[in-house]
Amino acid sequence: MAAEATTDWSSLPADLASRIADCFLAANDLDYYIDFRAVCHNWRAATTDPKTSQDPRFRPSRWIMLDEASSTDARVFVNTTTGRFLRKDLPLLRRYHMVVSNTGGFLVLADRNPPHAPLVLNPFTGSMIRFKAPPVRSEFDLTADVVGDSPTLLLATRSAHDKFVFHLADPDSEHFIFREDAELEADEFSDSIRYSMLALCSVTVELAPGEMAIVRKGQRQGVDLFRKNSATMAMDRVTSIGSRALFLGRRCVSIDAGNFPTIEANCVYYKKSDDPCMYMYDLALDEEERIDKSYSYPPTILQLIFSYTTNVPIYLLPWENSTESFIKSLQSINFWEFCELLKEV
């Protein structure tokens, strides 16, 4: 016991400390990695500083933020692979407007001061990337992804005609590039950006890291999943996703059901356009089940993830921008036209 009490863990060999840290990164447990490096100088020296590295393992990729709208600085994240919950204080949010999070764990924020330029925050490492382009104006729900090392900020929303509209910008871009879903095959975009666009349209879903499937609504019930056969290049129907479960909505999430109570493996959860209830489709049995829409309190993890995928926040420009636009519109109307408008009110 005395020997254990005097063990100097700071003298842990550098290669062993590095291997322990790599285990945290393999599960995308970035908070554990940061805490590990904070223990002592020797452990920091044996590991890479995520703020100065372009290693993709330092990017959040398996986290979703369950409470995007909150009146406090704390936010609740869940790791979709390990099932671990994390309540994280983010005092930095006091200085910015929360816009939306992506299904990996990045947060898209906006400056509180005009022109409210967007920025991307890694909530685990504290790394922040600012964008020059002015914010996207939208009256509809907004989803996002962060693609590549530069990176490219990709925002997706729907038009008044229920078409997907994409906005893309790099950190130094003066404005967002505007594209509609009919232009997804444009050669100007890299494969990674096109794949991200398809995912934001809920056309594709990631079954596991690097493994994508195409999603189609079933003719009778449920959904059909297809993956490309690398040998024949044909699209094979997927009848099993093993221990995974898929949640399909405005955002699509793949989770390891074995680490989430109340969630069934090899099943797909979704909502139909004409019914607010949750549906579960069992791929093995080819059966669809309608789940009661009544919610328990506190909500189950099934309800929380379903709500995350089906309810996407609507980001409106801050009040001062709306006021500025209103004043400009009044200035464009002459006095007599303004009086006529008042008569009609």
Side-chain angles (χ1 to χ4, degrees):
M1 294 296 293
E4 291 181 0
T6 59
T7 299
D8 182 11
W9 288 104
S10 65
S11 63
L12 199 68
D15 61 336
L16 183 55
S18 178
R19 290 174 62 183
I20 294 173
D22 287 344
C23 290
F24 296 142
L25 294 179
N28 206 223
D29 284 329
L30 302 178
D31 57 319
Y32 283 171
Y33 183 90
I34 299 296
D35 292 344
F36 182 81
R37 297 190 76 246
V39 171
C40 63
H41 170 77
N42 288 346
W43 290 8
R44 283 193 297 277
T47 54
T48 304
D49 185 351
K51 291 187 177 181
T52 60
S53 173
Q54 294 295 322
D55 190 330
R57 295 182 302 169
F58 295 128
R59 296 166 56 95
S61 60
R62 302 185 189 180
W63 295 88
I64 57 175
M65 189 171 75
L66 296 176
D67 54 347
E68 289 170 306
S70 175
S71 59
T72 69
D73 298 334
R75 294 295 189 275
V76 177
F77 295 83
V78 63
N79 187 311
T80 57
T81 299
T82 65
R84 183 168 68 89
F85 282 79
L86 172 66
R87 186 179 186 274
K88 189 169 182 61
D89 289 324
L90 297 171
L92 189 67
L93 295 183
R94 302 173 195 170
R95 296 161 47 190
Y96 301 96
H97 292 288
M98 178 69 200
V99 180
V100 70
S101 64
N102 80 331
T103 53
F106 279 112
L107 308 187
V108 180
L109 310 177
D111 273 327
R112 288 190 176 273
N113 298 321
H116 310 291
L119 57 145
V120 171
L121 171 68
N122 182 331
F124 302 95
T125 66
S127 299
M128 183 181 296
I129 301 174
R130 295 180 176 273
F131 290 75
K132 292 182 179 179
V136 172
R137 299 170 181 263
S138 174
E139 298 180 358
F140 302 91
D141 54 15
L142 193 69
T143 55
D145 200 5
V146 181
V147 185
D149 295 330
S150 304
T152 297
L153 176 58
L154 174 60
L155 302 174
T157 185
R158 288 180 181 270
S159 68
H161 303 291
D162 203 31
K163 298 290 185 181
F164 277 99
V165 178
F166 299 98
H167 305 267
L168 304 91
D170 294 329
D172 294 328
S173 302
E174 296 296 331
H175 55 82
F176 277 87
I177 298 174
F178 170 88
R179 293 291 183 270
E180 293 187 344
D181 57 359
E183 301 169 333
L184 286 182
E185 299 301 325
D187 293 335
E188 63 183 302
F189 301 129
S190 65
D191 288 343
S192 58
I193 289 179
R194 286 201 297 271
Y195 291 152
S196 180
M197 287 178 167
L198 291 171
L200 291 178
C201 289
S202 301
V203 174
T204 63
V205 62
E206 188 177 49
L207 300 180
E211 184 181 2
M212 304 296 293
I214 295 176
V215 180
R216 294 177 185 170
K217 290 290 180 67
Q219 294 182 355
R220 297 178 294 103
Q221 62 174 4
V223 296
D224 293 326
L225 302 176
F226 298 89
R227 66 160 64 94
K228 182 178 288 188
N229 187 314
S230 57
T232 64
M233 302 305 292
M235 300 303 296
D236 294 339
R237 190 168 185 267
V238 177
T239 57
S240 175
I241 53 176
S243 64
R244 311 295 296 183
L246 301 180
F247 286 78
L248 307 180
R250 279 292 283 115
R251 293 181 282 205
C252 298
V253 175
S254 171
I255 70 168
D256 188 338
N259 293 319
F260 290 88
T262 74
I263 296 179
E264 298 292 335
N266 201 33
C267 289
V268 184
Y269 295 86
Y270 52 92
K271 183 177 73 171
K272 296 185 177 182
S273 58
D274 57 347
D275 189 343
C277 288
M278 184 192 314
Y279 284 80
M280 181 185 76
Y281 177 64
D282 189 312
L283 288 167
L285 300 177
D286 189 24
E287 291 181 355
E288 181 181 72
E289 178 184 350
R290 186 174 184 266
I291 301 175
D292 186 9
K293 70 176 181 179
S294 61
Y295 278 77
S296 60
Y297 187 83
T300 65
I301 183 58
L302 172 62
Q303 294 167 343
L304 288 172
I305 297 180
F306 179 74
S307 177
Y308 171 84
T309 56
T310 56
N311 300 318
V312 178
I314 297 176
Y315 174 67
L316 299 177
L317 286 174
W319 180 84
E320 58 202 83
N321 255 15
S322 301
T323 304
E324 181 181 356
S325 299
F326 178 68
I327 292 174
K328 287 182 178 179
S329 65
L330 286 182
Q331 291 173 343
S332 65
I333 303 176
N334 65 42
F335 175 77
W336 297 111
E337 289 176 334
F338 182 67
C339 290
E340 292 297 319
L341 288 174
L342 290 179
K343 290 180 183 178
E344 296 177 2
V345 176

